[in-house]
Amino acid sequence: MKLHPLTLSLLVISLGAVISMAQEKGSTLFEEKCAACHVKQRPAYEEMKNLIAPPIMGVMTHVKNAKTTKTEAVSFINDYIFDPTQAKALCMKQSIERFGLMPSQKGSLTKEESTAIAEYLYDNYGYGK
Ligand code: HEC
Protein backbone atom coordinates (compact mmCIF):
# COMPACT_ATOMS: atom_id res chain seq x y z
CA MET A 1 0.00 0.00 0.00
CA LYS A 2 1.31 3.41 -0.94
CA LEU A 3 0.25 6.25 1.32
CA HIS A 4 -0.10 9.83 0.24
CA PRO A 5 2.35 11.99 2.25
CA LEU A 6 -0.56 14.02 3.60
CA THR A 7 -2.33 10.85 4.82
CA LEU A 8 0.90 9.78 6.44
CA SER A 9 1.39 13.05 8.28
CA LEU A 10 -2.23 12.98 9.46
CA LEU A 11 -1.64 9.48 10.81
CA VAL A 12 1.46 10.66 12.66
CA ILE A 13 -0.46 13.60 14.12
CA SER A 14 -3.35 11.41 15.29
CA LEU A 15 -0.95 8.92 16.84
CA GLY A 16 0.69 11.79 18.71
CA ALA A 17 -2.74 12.93 19.92
CA VAL A 18 -3.58 9.43 21.18
CA ILE A 19 -0.28 9.22 23.05
CA SER A 20 -0.69 12.65 24.63
CA MET A 21 -4.28 11.78 25.62
CA ALA A 22 -2.96 8.70 27.44
CA GLN A 23 -0.38 10.89 29.22
CA GLU A 24 -3.09 13.37 30.13
CA LYS A 25 -5.24 10.59 31.55
CA GLY A 26 -2.40 9.22 33.69
CA SER A 27 -1.57 12.68 34.95
CA THR A 28 -5.19 13.50 35.90
CA LEU A 29 -5.65 10.13 37.59
CA PHE A 30 -2.44 10.62 39.56
CA GLU A 31 -3.74 13.96 40.83
CA GLU A 32 -7.02 12.32 41.87
CA LYS A 33 -5.74 9.08 43.36
CA CYS A 34 -2.15 9.54 44.50
CA ALA A 35 -1.17 13.21 44.87
CA ALA A 36 -2.84 13.59 48.28
CA CYS A 37 0.07 11.54 49.62
CA HIS A 38 2.83 11.68 46.98
CA VAL A 39 4.05 15.16 45.98
CA LYS A 40 5.17 15.69 42.37
CA GLN A 41 7.59 18.56 42.98
CA ARG A 42 10.84 18.08 44.82
CA PRO A 43 9.97 19.48 48.26
CA ALA A 44 11.87 22.45 49.66
CA TYR A 45 13.86 21.69 52.83
CA GLU A 46 11.25 23.26 55.13
CA GLU A 47 8.46 21.22 53.47
CA MET A 48 10.18 17.90 54.23
CA LYS A 49 8.67 17.60 57.70
CA ASN A 50 5.13 17.89 56.30
CA LEU A 51 5.44 14.94 53.92
CA ILE A 52 3.18 11.96 54.53
CA ALA A 53 4.70 9.72 51.83
CA PRO A 54 7.89 9.74 49.74
CA PRO A 55 7.82 12.23 46.80
CA ILE A 56 7.02 10.46 43.53
CA MET A 57 10.34 11.23 41.76
CA GLY A 58 12.19 9.41 44.55
CA VAL A 59 9.76 6.50 44.41
CA MET A 60 10.25 6.19 40.65
CA THR A 61 14.05 6.32 40.92
CA HIS A 62 13.91 3.31 43.27
CA VAL A 63 11.49 1.50 40.95
CA LYS A 64 13.69 2.16 37.90
CA ASN A 65 16.84 1.05 39.74
CA ALA A 66 15.20 -2.26 40.62
CA LYS A 67 13.22 -3.00 37.44
CA THR A 68 15.03 -3.06 34.10
CA THR A 69 12.09 -2.70 31.69
CA LYS A 70 9.00 -0.51 31.56
CA THR A 71 6.82 -3.65 31.52
CA GLU A 72 8.39 -4.89 34.78
CA ALA A 73 8.15 -1.46 36.41
CA VAL A 74 4.49 -1.04 35.42
CA SER A 75 3.56 -4.50 36.68
CA PHE A 76 5.38 -3.85 40.00
CA ILE A 77 3.47 -0.57 40.51
CA ASN A 78 0.15 -2.18 39.51
CA ASP A 79 0.66 -4.90 42.08
CA TYR A 80 1.93 -2.60 44.85
CA ILE A 81 -0.98 -0.16 44.57
CA PHE A 82 -3.48 -2.90 45.38
CA ASP A 83 -1.37 -5.14 47.62
CA PRO A 84 1.53 -3.34 49.32
CA THR A 85 3.73 -5.41 51.65
CA GLN A 86 6.99 -4.73 53.41
CA ALA A 87 8.59 -7.69 51.62
CA LYS A 88 7.80 -6.25 48.17
CA ALA A 89 8.82 -2.67 48.96
CA LEU A 90 11.72 -1.29 46.94
CA CYS A 91 12.02 1.99 48.79
CA MET A 92 14.43 2.61 51.65
CA LYS A 93 13.64 0.90 54.94
CA GLN A 94 13.55 4.36 56.58
CA SER A 95 10.60 5.34 54.34
CA ILE A 96 8.40 2.63 55.80
CA GLU A 97 9.66 3.37 59.33
CA ARG A 98 8.79 7.02 58.92
CA PHE A 99 5.56 6.90 56.90
CA GLY A 100 4.29 3.39 57.56
CA LEU A 101 3.35 0.99 54.77
CA MET A 102 1.27 2.43 51.94
CA PRO A 103 -2.42 1.58 52.47
CA SER A 104 -3.88 -0.61 49.71
CA GLN A 105 -5.77 1.44 47.15
CA LYS A 106 -8.17 -1.44 46.41
CA GLY A 107 -11.61 -0.02 45.62
CA SER A 108 -10.23 3.45 44.87
CA LEU A 109 -9.25 2.74 41.28
CA THR A 110 -9.53 0.08 38.57
CA LYS A 111 -6.69 -2.01 37.15
CA GLU A 112 -6.97 -0.02 33.91
CA GLU A 113 -6.63 3.27 35.79
CA SER A 114 -3.68 1.96 37.73
CA THR A 115 -1.94 0.93 34.49
CA ALA A 116 -2.50 4.42 33.03
CA ILE A 117 -0.95 5.96 36.16
CA ALA A 118 1.99 3.51 36.21
CA GLU A 119 2.84 4.19 32.54
CA TYR A 120 2.58 7.93 33.05
CA LEU A 121 4.87 7.74 36.10
CA TYR A 122 7.42 5.62 34.25
CA ASP A 123 7.51 8.05 31.32
CA ASN A 124 7.78 11.20 33.44
CA TYR A 125 9.53 10.54 36.76
CA GLY A 126 12.72 9.08 38.19
CA TYR A 127 16.43 9.87 37.99
CA GLY A 128 16.21 13.50 39.01
CA LYS A 129 12.92 14.20 37.18
C1 HEC B 1 -2.74 7.38 51.87
C2 HEC B 1 -1.45 7.77 51.29
C3 HEC B 1 -1.03 7.14 49.97
C4 HEC B 1 -1.74 7.12 48.78
C5 HEC B 1 -3.14 7.63 48.49
C6 HEC B 1 -0.85 6.51 47.81
N1 HEC B 1 0.34 6.16 48.39
FE1 HEC B 1 1.94 5.28 47.49
N2 HEC B 1 2.93 5.21 49.24
C7 HEC B 1 2.49 5.75 50.44
C8 HEC B 1 3.52 5.55 51.45
C9 HEC B 1 3.40 5.99 52.90
C10 HEC B 1 4.59 4.90 50.84
C11 HEC B 1 5.95 4.50 51.46
C12 HEC B 1 5.88 3.19 52.17
C13 HEC B 1 5.80 2.03 51.24
O1 HEC B 1 6.66 1.89 50.38
O2 HEC B 1 4.84 1.25 51.36
C14 HEC B 1 4.19 4.69 49.43
C15 HEC B 1 4.97 4.05 48.49
C16 HEC B 1 4.65 3.92 47.15
C17 HEC B 1 5.45 3.24 46.17
C18 HEC B 1 6.82 2.60 46.42
C19 HEC B 1 6.67 1.21 46.90
C20 HEC B 1 7.99 0.63 47.36
O3 HEC B 1 8.30 0.76 48.56
O4 HEC B 1 8.68 0.05 46.56
C21 HEC B 1 4.80 3.33 44.97
C22 HEC B 1 5.26 2.78 43.62
C23 HEC B 1 3.58 4.06 45.21
N3 HEC B 1 3.51 4.40 46.54
C24 HEC B 1 2.68 4.38 44.23
C25 HEC B 1 1.45 5.00 44.49
C26 HEC B 1 0.47 5.30 43.47
C27 HEC B 1 0.67 5.07 41.97
C28 HEC B 1 -0.62 5.85 44.10
C29 HEC B 1 -1.94 6.26 43.49
C30 HEC B 1 -2.70 5.22 42.85
C31 HEC B 1 -0.31 5.87 45.51
N4 HEC B 1 0.95 5.36 45.71
C32 HEC B 1 -1.19 6.34 46.49
C33 HEC B 1 1.28 6.36 50.65
C34 HEC B 1 0.27 6.54 49.71
Side-chain angles (χ1 to χ4, degrees):
M1 182 174 68
K2 209 167 174 316
L3 284 176
H4 189 278
L6 191 62
T7 314
L8 203 61
S9 53
L10 281 175
L11 275 175
V12 171
I13 292 168
S14 346
L15 191 64
V18 168
I19 291 171
S20 73
M21 269 163 65
Q23 288 281 325
E24 181 72 31
K25 188 177 168 208
S27 166
T28 307
L29 282 166
F30 182 86
E31 292 298 336
E32 288 171 10
K33 313 284 183 184
C34 321
C37 294
H38 294 285
V39 299
K40 273 163 78 172
Q41 252 84 43
R42 189 171 298 281
Y45 182 74
E46 59 278 10
E47 289 165 346
M48 293 286 198
K49 62 177 185 321
N50 300 327
L51 297 178
I52 54 170
I56 206 65
M57 74 296 281
V59 168
M60 288 312 296
T61 296
H62 288 296
V63 171
K64 286 182 177 178
N65 279 338
K67 306 288 166 192
T68 38
T69 64
K70 179 172 175 176
T71 312
E72 281 178 301
V74 167
S75 88
F76 170 79
I77 297 168
N78 271 339
D79 175 65
Y80 202 84
I81 289 176
F82 297 111
D83 186 23
T85 70
Q86 186 137 11
K88 286 178 199 164
L90 304 170
C91 67
M92 287 180 292
K93 218 170 101 261
Q94 298 93 294
S95 274
I96 295 184
E97 279 163 13
R98 176 176 168 194
F99 302 117
L101 199 65
M102 170 163 147
S104 168
Q105 302 301 299
K106 227 175 258 166
S108 155
L109 71 171
T110 64
K111 178 78 198 296
E112 193 222 332
E113 290 173 326
S114 117
T115 303
I117 295 174
E119 290 183 342
Y120 159 76
L121 291 179
Y122 188 90
D123 292 342
N124 293 282
Y125 293 95
Y127 299 126
K129 285 198 283 179

